[in-house]
Amino acid sequence: MALDLIVVSTEIEPVEHVAVAALERRLGISMPPDYADLMATYGQGSVCNAFDVWGPTRILDSLDGMREMWAEYWFWKHLELGQADFADAVPVGGSSDGDQLALVPGRGLVMLPRHSDEAIDVGSSYTDAVRWFCTSGRLVVASDVLWFASWTRQSCYENWAGGELNPVRDAISALGMHVAVEASGADASTFLIPAMGGHVSVLRPSGDADLYVHVRFEPEFAALHARIEAALIGTGARRMARWGAEPVT
């Protein structure tokens, strides 16, 4: 089943089917058919800021290192698969937290979680595996809206702290810049803002009284970002860090 994603980036870089075919010839295996369609539609990037979709080049660049790691550091358990079954497996995606998605020849896709020793079968469909990761709630907090951020262009990133949860969310919402809101819990909301090539995530971590706000925007949209900045300052939030591309003023 195809993934219908809200694209927050202003540019994407689709990967042609011929590049996926070349990857398959190089590896001597077949990728799930929907992987090629996903690449042709969106290219490389992250889904829900949780799962990283890898293109052919990154898969090839990561292949030897991941196989060496699986051979040396193995702690996962599976009723039918063992460490030896991953000698010919192919890494095809993962998360910034260290979760790994592997394509095991003759078996399908298997998720290797960073913080669990249970290797999880996630079927043969690449898009279903991505959807499962983002919506099942097994490894990350479940998302109710699926969205995509491309790696094509460098963005500016900011972390903010302070303020109160509801006033901050109300202030961002009142700007009317978002096309949708991903609610991954009562204390977490991500406002999707394609007009500035990014998003604003507002989160109160479990058991933590402090509020955390993460802002991503593409550098030429500094004027739109200034509206968000003013709204956050008005709620008592303060910027703690900025990295990536510098805003263009």
Side-chain angles (χ1 to χ4, degrees):
M1 184 183 299
L3 283 178
D4 185 14
L5 306 174
I6 296 174
V7 179
V8 299
S9 304
T10 59
E11 291 184 18
I12 60 175
E13 191 172 357
V15 176
E16 295 183 358
H17 281 77
V18 293
V20 176
L23 171 70
E24 293 176 324
R25 290 193 297 271
R26 176 79 175 271
L27 297 175
I29 63 171
S30 295
M31 296 290 289
D34 55 347
Y35 170 79
D37 293 338
L38 184 67
M39 284 287 106
T41 304
Y42 300 105
Q44 284 198 135
S46 63
V47 179
C48 296
N49 206 30
F51 188 85
D52 293 342
V53 175
W54 292 4
T57 299
R58 180 160 181 179
I59 288 173
L60 289 174
D61 289 345
S62 303
L63 183 63
D64 291 341
M66 294 296 286
R67 284 179 174 175
E68 289 173 5
M69 187 193 71
W70 293 333
E72 187 172 357
Y73 303 105
W74 184 265
F75 62 88
W76 294 281
K77 299 174 183 177
H78 190 282
L79 290 176
E80 299 176 13
L81 299 175
Q83 185 175 15
D85 294 295
F86 286 78
D88 297 322
V90 177
V92 292
S95 75
S96 58
D97 200 34
D99 305 295
Q100 305 159 21
L101 181 62
L103 176 60
V104 182
R107 178 75 189 196
L109 294 162
V110 179
M111 192 70 68
L112 302 175
R114 172 66 178 86
H115 299 294
S116 169
D117 63 0
E118 178 191 6
I120 306 170
D121 285 314
V122 287
S124 59
S125 164
Y126 191 89
T127 55
D128 283 353
V130 175
R131 183 183 291 104
W132 174 89
F133 187 90
C134 296
T135 65
S136 70
R138 289 284 300 275
L139 301 182
V140 295
V141 177
S143 299
D144 62 348
V145 175
L146 294 178
W147 54 281
F148 178 80
S150 174
W151 297 338
T152 301
R153 304 187 61 195
Q154 187 178 27
S155 296
C156 182
Y157 303 89
E158 294 180 341
N159 285 342
W160 292 67
E164 296 295 329
L165 178 65
N166 288 333
V168 169
R169 287 197 295 205
D170 290 346
I172 299 300
S173 180
L175 295 173
M177 298 168 60
H178 60 284
V179 299
V181 181
E182 175 208 354
S184 53
D187 291 342
S189 300
T190 296
F191 295 83
L192 307 180
I193 310 177
M196 70 171 192
H199 62 274
V200 178
S201 295
V202 183
L203 168 68
R204 190 194 309 280
S206 178
D208 195 338
D210 292 333
L211 189 68
Y212 166 81
V213 180
H214 177 69
V215 181
R216 170 180 175 164
F217 64 100
E218 292 177 0
E220 66 268 35
F221 300 110
L224 292 177
H225 167 262
R227 296 176 58 196
I228 292 171
E229 181 180 49
L232 290 173
I233 292 173
T235 64
R238 61 193 183 280
R239 183 167 47 228
M240 306 301 293
R242 171 185 282 174
W243 67 98
E246 284 297 316
V248 177
T249 58

